[in-house]
Amino acid sequence: SVKKLLKAPAVEAEVTATSRHYVDRLFDPDPQKVLQGVIDMKNAVIGNNKQKANLIVLGAVPRLLYLLQQSSSSMELRTECAVVLGSLAMGTENNIKSLVDCHIIPALLQGLLSPDLVFIEACLRCLRTVFISPVTPVQLLYTDPTVIPHLMSLLSNSLRTQEYITQIFSHCCKTPEHQTILFNHGAIQNIAPLLISPSYKVRMQALKCFSVLAYENTQVSMTLVNVLVDGELLTQVFVKMMQRDQPIEMQLTAAKCLTYMCRASAIRTDDSCIVLKTLPCLVRMCSKEHLLEERVEGAETLAYLMEPDVELQRIASTTDHLVAMLADYFKYPSSVSAITDIKRLDHDLKHAHELRQAAFKLYASLGSNDEEIRKKITETENMMDRIVSGLSESSIKVRLAAVRCLHSLSRSVQQLRTSFHDHAVWKPLMKLLQNAPDEVLVMASSTLCNLLLEFSPSKEPILESGVMELLCSLTQSDSPALRVNGIWALMNMAFQADQKVKVEIVRCLGTEQLFRLLSDPDTNVLMKTLGLLRNLLSQRAHIDQVMSSHGKQIMQAVTLILEAEHSIEVKEQTLCILVNIADGNTAKDLIMTNDDMLQKIKYYMGHSNVKLQLAATFCVSNLIWNEEDGSQERQDKLREMGFVDILHKLTQSSEPNLSDRAKTALQQYLA
């Protein structure tokens, strides 16, 4: 047994010794021997990751790069060096890291200035392999501003340069800035002709370029609509590429191009190339005879295509039984025909969560507007159970997609009353809200807002589960979206609530935080906080109680908002709070004893916006209402301040609501 143990390291040492021999030959003084050494090295590393790693550790890379850049090296030697480096790059991610650390990218980019096409192609092939690796920083392509225009000029040299360069572009276009740089250097004019290249690889890479250039980019998309390729509109070229006889990868990528152009408003959602070609193509990709990756990409692209458009959602929901087809995404990850390959089966089991994520996203998009579609989704076998288990999956992406799906369905009054209640969806949702990342929190808290609406049977159990602390803490978040959702949920909670709940909200939120939110820079936060305040100040006894303890601060806040630069909506909501205060028994004194506030109400009665006039007039009407204690004194004070004259003027308004409201108020004086 001792002998056996000694065997393995000896083999290792042998490999290292031969590797060292290869590296030593690169330093031979005879150029011919160096060339032969590089060629032998090339043959030794093909498909041998162990050998590649050894050569890198032993320092082959700096020497190969040195030989590649030496003007004294023969063209053949330089080319063979580029080929070996390309082969080393084909190994593991660690190999790529080592190559990048040795500054391979600038050396290869420099090599592209050579007049020798075979050498250029070898450099490009190696660059392509390095750039498509996720560990390579794509920014390295843009460091030197002369690189992109030079690559554009090399596009016409050969099919190989076309394939490698377009592949580099499609992998290195990651941000709007990258899109703009490529666009400004003529990417569209230079790459469009390649869509009809005799080489499938070139056509495919060119197509991929257009999909990354057009994504969420209006400038590119608007330009693409008018591009002609050999006399045919580019959109028609894309449509042909989606035909069923084309390879799946091509169909999918062409569908992505048209989807992105549509989402950037360059193609109308009712255009036949979208409704009759792109949408059906993407639905086809969701069927179970396709590979897992194709089904994932098809579903995610389709979800993105129809997200803003209810008509497309309706069409998709009735195409090829899509809703039922997606149910298969939760079952076995591979179709039986694909399981001929054990490696494939293993891969699909590992990636099954991607299918579930894609299905949730697509369901969310399908159900975001139409009540009938939502009903169809929730009636799909075990759907609610699947969402509930999705909320607690280990993959963050699945949790996010499941909660998006839940949010979409929670927009339905009927679903809130039925399936949401039957499955106690609120429980896993509350669990998800504990220490989740922001994007999950935003979706989960939006869904919670809907579950807290007054007709939702989940409202009671949620209130009892101690959700208030959580919502109050959301209002202190740095993210405006989370502040909005926290305050929105509290607003829904306070709607027609009993006094106990309202007192608890004020206690938990704290008056300081409430007033901080009333000066929040985000208008949505401000609007929802005003909505909360308005809901707290409803029903007389509640109004008087809240105003007796916080009246001074509330009046201050109202004054500040009415004096500041705010939208009509904000001012209207603020005046509505005054309307509620004016409806209290003791609370109305806070307005009546505040001449400054009365002047403001008077000002808004004469405002150019009818909504504000209406709210201000409503407020006056509440202040002078007859059957209440002290109404006579209030009427007299307001008459002296000139309110009656304004009411007379308003009875002549062409707005029926306003003139009626003014007449009702004046009648209080006549009674």
Side-chain angles (χ1 to χ4, degrees), residues 332-375:
Y332 214 66
S334 330
S335 66
V336 181
S337 57
I339 301 184
T340 47
D341 174 5
I342 196 78
K343 245 179 161 169
R344 181 82 221 171
L345 172 66
D346 185 47
H347 169 274
D348 284 4
L349 286 170
K350 282 199 186 88
H351 292 265
H353 64 93
E354 291 175 21
L355 276 175
R356 294 194 292 276
Q357 171 193 317
F360 283 139
K361 275 188 187 167
L362 187 42
Y363 277 136
S365 193
L366 273 169
S368 55
N369 294 292
D370 187 286
E371 198 55 45
E372 280 310 299
I373 302 175
R374 289 185 195 128
K375 193 164 178 288

Side-chain angles (χ1 to χ4, degrees), residues 557-626:
V558 167
T559 307
L560 286 173
I561 293 170
L562 291 177
E563 284 175 355
E565 291 291 319
H566 281 298
S567 66
I568 296 295
E569 290 73 34
V570 167
K571 301 229 162 162
E572 182 194 13
Q573 191 74 288
T574 310
L575 287 169
C576 288
I577 290 173
L578 278 179
V579 172
N580 287 12
I581 295 171
D583 193 37
N585 284 324
T586 54
K588 50 166 64 83
D589 294 343
L590 285 159
I591 301 177
M592 288 306 300
T593 54
N594 184 333
D595 284 3
D596 177 43
M597 189 60 82
L598 290 171
Q599 290 297 346
K600 284 186 170 51
I601 294 170
K602 193 164 142 188
Y603 163 76
Y604 284 108
M605 285 172 81
H607 198 278
S608 56
N609 185 288
V610 174
K611 285 180 174 174
L612 300 185
Q613 286 181 288
L614 200 58
T617 307
F618 217 127
C619 191
V620 171
S621 182
N622 278 352
L623 289 173
I624 60 178
W625 205 256
N626 254 326

